[in-house]
Amino acid sequence: MNDEHEYQEAIERAAEVLRDAQRPVIMTGAGVSAESGIATFRDPEEGLWAKYDPMELAHIDAFERDPELVTRWYHWRFRKCKDAEPNAGHRAIAELQRRVPGTVLVTQNIDGLHQAAGSEGVIELHGSILRWRCTDTGAIVPIEQIPFEEFPPRSITGGLLRPDVVWFGEMLPPEALEAAAEAVSACDVFMSVGTSSVVYPAAGYAEMAASRGVPTIEVNPEPTPLTARVDVSLRSGAGRAMPDLVRMAFGN
Ligand code: BV8
């Protein structure tokens, strides 16, 4: 059977599942922003950062060791996000939320593109690059208020400013963890879109849903540790699969 035929069959199966869902959970990773031109964690980053491993830099130890390097990296990533537009995958997920009001969107991404596509109530498991935080007072500073004339930037009280994201080795925000766990324990469909499914606790949610007998769907052009476990695997980019799926499930 050729890939295209398999893809069409899988879209139909996934649409059948999604059509009846009242409380789907959609969990996204860096792959959903790939078609907006934002490199994922495992793509080689172009230019200056090709020699650094994102898994090394997105770590509290890296910030403590070299706050200038880490804040420069995040400022560079922010400039990529700032120029990026949501893609058809982000827009289809926002459309799904409108079609099925009980949908809960949980993202590992920090780029704000789901919100830019019109998604609401986004659970940001790993925070947001659009917010920075004073390491002294905890005060939150929107990125547009930071002049970035010095690295690491400092708050008005002189404390170091860091991105309001969750680094490896850091706890996730309790309110996000709680909201995500609640949504996963109540969902009737679980979709994993554009994530390598290797980072915990996010990577554990699909198993939590599957162990309740909830149908699971994965959208990823590559296999992941989850692929063998899900009920339907859409081996495609989210920019194609998500619009196809929403159209097949709910019509134009
Ligand atoms: C914590 C924010 C308690 C910053 C990120 C249990 C078991 C094992 C390990 C652990 C565990 N519990 C904790 C750990 C340690 C660690 C962990 O999971 N390590 C892994 C590597 C084994 N977890 C933590 O430290 C977490 N903290 O649990 O607190 C604690 C505290 C102290 C000590 C122990 C425990 C914090 C994790 C959060 C880290 N922050 N991001 C930033 O963005 O800079 S993680 C970052 O990488 C992402 O946010 C994401 O979560 C993660 C993986 O990235 P993905 O989103 O999946 O992207 P990736 O590039 O990997 O994959 C992209 C995918 O897209 C690919 O599969 C590709 O095929 C696909 N794709 C490509 N194009 C497309 C596409 N898909 C669709 N369409 C396309 N067009």
Side-chain angles (χ1 to χ4, degrees):
M1 205 182 316
N2 72 22
D3 286 356
E4 186 52 27
H5 182 79
E6 275 179 3
Y7 172 78
Q8 288 305 336
E9 266 208 340
I11 281 280
E12 277 160 27
R13 286 208 320 275
E16 230 171 276
V17 164
L18 200 55
R19 194 172 292 124
D20 303 335
Q22 302 291 317
R23 298 177 309 285
V25 164
I26 318 291
M27 187 175 80
T28 63
V32 82
S33 295
E35 290 162 86
S36 295
I38 297 184
T40 66
F41 271 75
R42 284 156 182 74
D43 288 350
E45 301 259 333
E46 71 277 10
L48 179 60
W49 301 104
K51 62 178 183 291
Y52 294 99
D53 172 2
M55 302 289 271
E56 294 296 309
L57 285 180
H59 201 294
I60 180 66
D61 297 347
F63 179 73
E64 283 168 359
R65 193 175 50 246
D66 191 342
E68 177 181 349
L69 173 67
V70 172
T71 52
R72 280 189 187 281
W73 184 54
Y74 276 91
H75 184 244
W76 178 80
R77 284 180 63 190
F78 164 66
R79 289 214 314 276
K80 310 288 283 182
C81 301
K82 193 166 65 72
D83 304 339
E85 290 293 324
N87 62 59
H90 294 109
R91 290 196 297 273
I93 290 171
E95 174 63 14
L96 173 57
Q97 285 183 289
R98 287 188 286 272
R99 299 272 187 147
V100 185
T103 303
V104 175
L105 173 57
V106 182
T107 189
Q108 302 173 85
N109 300 341
I110 61 171
D111 56 31
L113 287 181
H114 280 304
Q115 293 90 331
S119 279
E120 294 182 352
V122 184
I123 299 174
E124 294 178 318
L125 283 181
H126 297 155
S128 170
I129 202 168
L130 305 178
R131 295 187 303 268
W132 286 48
R133 192 171 76 228
C134 175
T135 50
D136 277 353
T137 63
I140 295 289
V141 181
I143 193 162
E144 55 273 9
Q145 291 177 15
I146 306 172
F148 287 108
E149 283 148 3
E150 56 173 345
F151 288 90
R154 288 186 177 276
S155 67
I156 43 172
T157 52
L160 291 190
L161 282 172
R162 57 162 285 180
D164 189 31
V165 300
V166 179
W167 280 325
F168 287 103
E170 289 189 317
M171 300 295 283
L172 277 67
E175 59 287 353
L177 266 183
E178 207 177 299
E182 202 177 299
V184 173
S185 54
C187 73
D188 50 10
V189 174
F190 185 90
M191 279 191 71
S192 172
V193 184
T195 178
S196 55
S197 293
V198 295
V199 172
Y200 286 80
Y205 290 140
E207 188 50 43
M208 260 172 75
S211 63
R212 290 181 38 239
V214 166
T216 50
I217 303 166
E218 180 182 47
V219 176
N220 195 321
E222 304 296 328
T224 73
L226 190 59
T227 307
R229 182 80 174 86
V230 292
D231 297 298
V232 187
S233 163
L234 295 170
R235 297 293 289 276
S236 154
R240 178 189 183 197
M242 290 314 294
D244 283 357
L245 178 54
V246 173
R247 202 172 20 253
M248 181 67 76
F250 306 107
N252 280 324

